[in-house]
Amino acid sequence: MFKKIIPAVIIFLLPAFCVAQAEDSAMIRKIADEVLINGKAYENLRFLCKKVGPRLSGSPQAQKAVEATARMLKEAGADTVYLQPCMVPHWVRGIKEKGLIQVAGKAPYPLHLCSLGNSLGTGKKGISAGVVEVRSFKELDQLGATVIKGKIVFFNFEMNPTYIHTFRAYGESGGSRVAGPSKAASYGAIGVMVRSLASNTDDFPHTGVTVYNDSFPKIPAVAISTNDAEWLSKQLKLRMVLTASFTNTCAMLPDTISYNVVGEIKGKEFPKEIITVGGHLDSWDLAEGAQDDGAGVMQSIEVLRAIKAAGVQPKRTLRAVMFMNEENGGRGGEKYLEIAEKNKETHLFGLESDEGGFTPRGFRLDMTEAQLNKVLQWKNLFYPYGVYELAAGGSGADVGPLKKIGASLAGLNPDSQRYFDVHHAGTDVFENVSKRELNLGALNMAALIYLIDKYGL
């Protein structure tokens, strides 16, 4: 008897499910058309890159970006736009860095280099010493103070080219940049040069944050281009006698005030349930921060604009958040959580775009198995727009803290093959963003937000 009832229930429910899918497909098509025909993300990004420019936390440009995106959110139709004050680190690069390698009997070899974010400066005199190359922290530990003391350590941690998922390679090699300077200092090094975390070989150095361990001296740290890293490694293999010299004048100033920028559309049925979509507004100072993360910021604003323009009246409150200080502190994400806890807010879901504006491939979903299975029921709705990968995974640095208060999370997963060509480098400019790809990411983000708002998790 029981076996006969189950198929009957399924047959009864199937038409309703198909009708709902058809309705959702039509609405997502409407949202997609709005983004593809009338989208504002690309022109907003142009303004951010060309009129505001690099947006390092604490800089005047960061403040201009706050003002510009608040205006954009109002123009997008947000019911309310407001700022969340937060104190952020204020690191300055100083005058352009200089460096060279002197090989015995040869002309000096000029380095393409840049200071790592939060690095201490050398002062105007600079530093000069012999070079010790290491390819792993294990090798550094084996050499120890006997070899390292008084030297400049060259961390030659190449991103593994065999990984198709380039963020895996970035994660494995990134320790050299984040923790390398303090580890080298623990053995008496006077400075560090890090191979840029880049998937291609060129002359552009890639910056990024380093995190000092207060238990050890804080030593100057720079990144050198991948071409320079290859050349230097070759010289060392030939056992050439050489000396590295570099000068930087960067400094950490006292913390200063900045802001998260928040725009929201109030929910009609469950206004106290909040759905967040966002990216980080700050960027490194070598370029315009177009892919990292101007793209994610503008996609998030476009989500609100397109949903409203398509005539959707959200059940829950939708927030687009421009987080400040992801790059060298994470203070914006921390402040957003702090305010949410203080106000006892209910956060249902948070979506982040912080892997560039390239062609979207899927979403990484950080949620319970039951919630994941619910989202997977919608996967065919994304197929027409090029998204095929819905799977468990991490979300993003800024929405990540919301997990503490029970939010389910996700991260947009674009094609990553070209991302580390420009990531944190002087090549991260507006001209390297495709309008079509940027819009495809925005419309898929809007579709996911629409579905979660309608059905919950």
Side-chain angles (χ1 to χ4, degrees):
M1 179 70 175
F2 180 74
K3 290 182 179 179
K4 293 180 180 179
I5 292 174
I6 295 301
V9 171
I10 293 174
I11 291 170
F12 176 75
L13 292 177
L14 192 58
F17 177 78
C18 292
V19 169
Q21 286 260 309
E23 291 175 352
D24 293 333
S25 179
M27 179 52 73
I28 291 171
R29 179 74 261 178
K30 189 174 182 180
I31 293 170
D33 288 348
E34 176 60 35
V35 173
L36 295 173
I37 297 170
N38 302 314
K40 305 298 183 185
Y42 192 67
E43 289 307 314
N44 281 342
L45 182 61
R46 185 196 301 275
F47 185 93
L48 185 71
C49 292
K50 300 304 180 184
K51 299 298 183 181
V52 177
R55 307 170 298 281
L56 192 57
S57 293
S59 68
Q61 291 87 351
Q63 179 58 32
K64 288 181 180 179
V66 167
E67 295 165 3
T69 49
R71 171 183 57 79
M72 292 172 188
L73 281 163
K74 291 176 183 176
E75 292 172 352
D79 299 333
T80 309
V81 177
Y82 56 94
L83 307 181
Q84 292 181 335
C86 59
M87 298 301 291
V88 299
H90 188 191
W91 179 80
V92 293
R93 185 173 298 279
I95 62 175
K96 184 173 175 56
E97 306 90 337
K98 295 181 180 179
L100 58 85
I101 303 293
Q102 181 65 65
V103 179
K106 296 185 178 181
Y109 179 94
L111 290 168
H112 302 85
L113 80 169
C114 65
S115 299
L116 296 183
N118 293 356
S119 172
L120 184 75
T122 63
K124 293 182 179 179
K125 291 185 178 180
I127 60 172
S128 181
V131 178
V132 177
E133 178 183 13
V134 296
R135 291 181 174 268
S136 68
F137 286 140
K138 181 179 180 181
E139 187 177 346
L140 179 75
D141 294 336
Q142 289 172 340
L143 293 174
T146 304
V147 176
I148 300 299
K149 189 175 182 179
K151 299 294 196 305
I152 293 173
V153 173
F154 166 39
F155 286 104
N156 193 17
F157 288 21
E158 182 181 1
M159 285 180 62
N160 192 327
T162 67
Y163 294 161
I164 302 304
H165 184 56
T166 60
F167 277 88
R168 179 185 174 192
Y170 177 72
E172 286 188 4
S173 299
S176 62
R177 191 196 71 204
V178 176
S182 286
K183 285 182 175 292
S186 73
Y187 292 114
I190 66 167
V192 161
M193 297 190 301
V194 175
R195 180 194 181 104
S196 286
L197 298 175
S199 51
N200 59 334
T201 51
D202 59 28
D203 290 329
F204 293 95
H206 295 229
T207 191
V209 71
T210 193
V211 179
Y212 285 120
N213 184 326
D214 291 336
S215 299
F216 307 113
K218 296 179 180 180
I219 60 176
V222 298
I224 64 173
S225 73
T226 48
N227 276 343
D228 286 354
E230 292 289 307
W231 179 88
L232 177 55
S233 183
K234 181 178 180 181
Q235 302 307 306
L236 291 168
K237 284 184 176 64
L238 294 172
R239 298 187 181 278
M240 302 299 291
V241 177
L242 57 81
T243 301
S245 304
F246 67 84
T247 303
N248 65 348
T249 59
C250 48
M252 185 66 80
L253 304 179
D255 286 0
T256 188
I257 189 75
S258 193
Y259 306 89
N260 293 331
V261 186
V262 183
E264 64 180 34
I265 299 175
K266 205 74 170 177
K268 300 297 182 183
E269 294 183 33
F270 312 108
K272 292 186 178 181
E273 290 188 12
I274 298 164
I275 295 175
T276 297
V277 58
H280 66 86
L281 188 52
D282 62 307
S283 75
W284 287 110
D285 55 327
L286 298 182
E288 298 164 357
Q291 297 283 7
D292 186 23
D293 184 29
V297 164
M298 296 314 164
Q299 287 171 328
S300 299
I301 295 174
E302 183 67 8
V303 168
L304 255 62
R305 192 203 69 79
I307 285 176
K308 187 158 189 176
V312 177
Q313 291 190 334
K315 294 181 178 181
R316 296 164 172 88
T317 294
L318 307 184
R319 281 186 187 164
V321 184
M322 318 296 106
F323 293 96
M324 184 57 71
N325 187 231
E326 186 272 348
E327 292 292 7
N328 69 328
R331 303 281 183 85
E334 292 171 2
K335 177 58 68 171
Y336 189 67
L337 171 65
E338 178 188 320
I339 293 172
E341 289 181 312
K342 180 181 178 181
N343 295 337
K344 296 183 165 76
E345 294 176 346
T346 300
H347 282 258
L348 178 67
F349 179 67
L351 170 62
E352 186 160 347
S353 173
D354 185 21
E355 294 189 2
F358 298 101
T359 300
R361 301 298 188 198
F363 292 99
R364 301 179 310 281
L365 304 168
D366 186 1
M367 53 186 61
T368 67
E369 184 176 358
Q371 291 170 333
L372 177 60
N373 288 334
K374 184 171 185 176
V375 174
L376 289 177
Q377 294 177 14
W378 307 327
K379 61 184 180 180
N380 64 303
L381 294 170
F382 292 92
Y383 291 166
Y385 309 103
V387 162
Y388 296 90
E389 301 167 6
L390 299 172
S395 55
D398 290 308
V399 301
L402 294 174
K403 193 170 183 178
K404 182 180 177 182
I405 56 174
S408 299
L409 306 172
L412 179 67
N413 185 24
D415 186 285
S416 68
Q417 302 311 311
R418 292 178 290 148
Y419 185 61
F420 291 103
D421 293 355
V422 302
H423 181 252
H424 293 178
T427 47
D428 188 7
V429 295
F430 176 75
E431 289 77 10
N432 285 329
V433 178
S434 159
K435 179 179 180 180
R436 183 72 175 177
E437 291 179 310
L438 184 71
N439 283 339
L440 285 170
L443 74 85
N444 278 286
M445 290 166 65
L448 183 60
I449 294 294
Y450 159 76
L451 290 166
I452 289 176
D453 171 64
K454 181 176 179 179
Y455 296 106
L457 286 170

